[in-house]
């Protein structure tokens, strides 16, 4: 029993969700960046934005490696790996339906108190040198509680390998760049209905992956 990392699936979920859910989740950070860019040239703003996103992705990679390493604990037997797959699969289905419903379960998953705490810490960095400030902005952004991020971290656990977990998060991070780097154009030209359609497709992929993982675990333990 093994988990094949489906690159197309990872990129699809990342791109589709980044043009809908992720933009909303990161809105506060973008607002802070917009204020900081008022007296910057286009090249300066682009450089700081790039620093911000590379550090955001770096946070994802570290988390992916840690979660992948944690998953490797379950390699001690086929039974434990089967249990890992089944539990992670069920969790993915729950995350998928939470994202779909946008209700209390999602509010619990995307803990508002943690988001406010991280935003507060971000505001405390305003007087730091700019490169360091935007680097830390990005790293903190990568720690925001987010259902989509949890999906990829769950996949990292299921990979049961630190390198594969890091690779999953690298793919996720860089796949979000098109939306994150063109946020103004996204808000201007993409309708809310179209964003909802993209997000629902991403959620469908998440739920199907969860069912597939749970099925692998169930069959291996049967």
């Amino acid at each position: 029993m093994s988990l094949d990392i489906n690159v197309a699936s990872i990129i699809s979920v990342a791109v589709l969700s980044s043009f809908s859910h992720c933009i909303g989740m990161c809105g506060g950070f973008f607002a802070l960046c917009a204020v900081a860019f008022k007296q910057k040239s286009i090249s300066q703003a682009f450089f700081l934005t790039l620093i911000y996103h590379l550090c955001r992705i770096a946070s994802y990679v570290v988390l992916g490696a840690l979660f992948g390493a944690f998953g490797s604990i379950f390699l001690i037997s086929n039974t434990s790996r089967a249990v890992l797959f089944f539990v992670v699969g069920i969790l993915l289905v729950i995350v998928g339906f939470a994202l779909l419903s946008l209700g209390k379960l999602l509010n619990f998953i995307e803990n508002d108190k943690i988001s406010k705490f991280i935003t507060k810490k971000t505001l405390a960095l305003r007087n730091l040198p700019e490169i360091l400030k935007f680097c830390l902005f990005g790293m903190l952004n990568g720690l925001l509680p987010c259902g989509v991020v949890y999906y990829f971290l769950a996949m990292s656990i299921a990979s049961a390998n630190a390198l594969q977990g890091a690779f999953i998060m690298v793919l996720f991070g860089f796949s979000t760049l098109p939306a994150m780097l063109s946020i103004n154009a996204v808000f201007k030209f993409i309708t809310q209905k179209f964003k909802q359609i993209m997000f629902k497709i991403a959620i469908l992929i998440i739920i199907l992956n969860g069912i597939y993982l749970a099925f692998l675990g169930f069959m291996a333990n049967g």
Side-chain angles (χ1 to χ4, degrees):
M1 178 183 61
S2 64
L3 174 67
D4 296 322
I5 295 178
N6 190 324
V7 173
S9 173
I10 292 171
I11 293 175
S12 296
V13 172
V15 171
L16 291 169
S17 60
S18 67
F19 279 97
S20 49
H21 186 71
C22 295
I23 287 177
M25 281 294 299
C26 301
F29 285 87
F30 288 127
L32 290 173
C33 291
V35 172
F37 291 159
K38 281 186 176 180
Q39 297 180 341
K40 302 294 181 187
S41 67
I42 294 176
S43 59
Q44 287 174 324
F46 177 78
F47 175 72
L48 292 173
T49 300
L50 187 61
I51 291 293
Y52 169 86
H53 286 298
L54 289 177
C55 290
R56 173 177 64 86
I57 294 170
S59 283
Y60 293 154
V61 172
V62 171
L63 289 173
L66 290 174
F67 277 69
F70 173 75
S72 67
I73 296 172
F74 294 87
L75 290 178
I76 55 176
S77 70
N78 286 333
T79 298
S80 62
R81 187 158 172 77
V83 170
L84 172 67
F85 274 32
F86 184 78
V87 171
V88 170
I90 295 300
L91 288 175
L92 291 183
V93 172
I94 293 172
V95 167
F97 279 106
L99 289 167
L100 186 63
S101 66
L102 300 176
K104 292 183 179 180
L105 181 58
L106 182 62
N107 291 334
F108 174 77
I109 291 174
E110 297 181 347
N111 194 295
D112 189 52
K113 291 182 180 179
I114 297 176
S115 296
K116 288 181 179 178
F117 174 78
I118 293 176
T119 302
K120 183 178 179 181
K121 292 298 179 183
T122 302
L123 290 171
L125 303 173
R126 285 177 296 183
N127 297 323
L128 291 176
E130 283 193 326
I131 292 179
L132 178 59
K133 177 171 64 178
F134 276 85
C135 180
L136 293 174
F137 275 5
M139 293 175 69
L140 287 170
N141 176 276
L143 300 177
L144 277 175
C146 171
V148 176
V149 174
Y150 293 159
Y151 163 69
F152 288 105
L153 289 178
M155 294 297 291
S156 297
I157 292 177
S159 74
N161 182 287
L163 288 177
Q164 288 190 18
F167 176 67
I168 289 170
M169 298 308 286
V170 164
L171 280 180
F172 162 56
F174 277 98
S175 295
T176 64
L177 283 181
M180 299 296 103
L181 292 175
S182 60
I183 185 169
N184 291 327
V186 169
F187 277 122
K188 188 174 181 179
F189 296 110
I190 296 181
T191 65
Q192 185 64 29
K193 184 176 181 179
F194 186 63
K195 285 192 289 185
Q196 289 175 352
I197 291 172
M198 289 193 295
F199 191 46
K200 286 179 180 179
I201 294 172
I203 292 172
L204 178 62
I205 297 172
I206 289 173
I207 292 173
L208 289 176
N209 277 337
I211 293 172
Y212 173 66
L213 273 179
F215 175 76
L216 284 180
F218 178 78
M219 294 301 293
N221 204 34

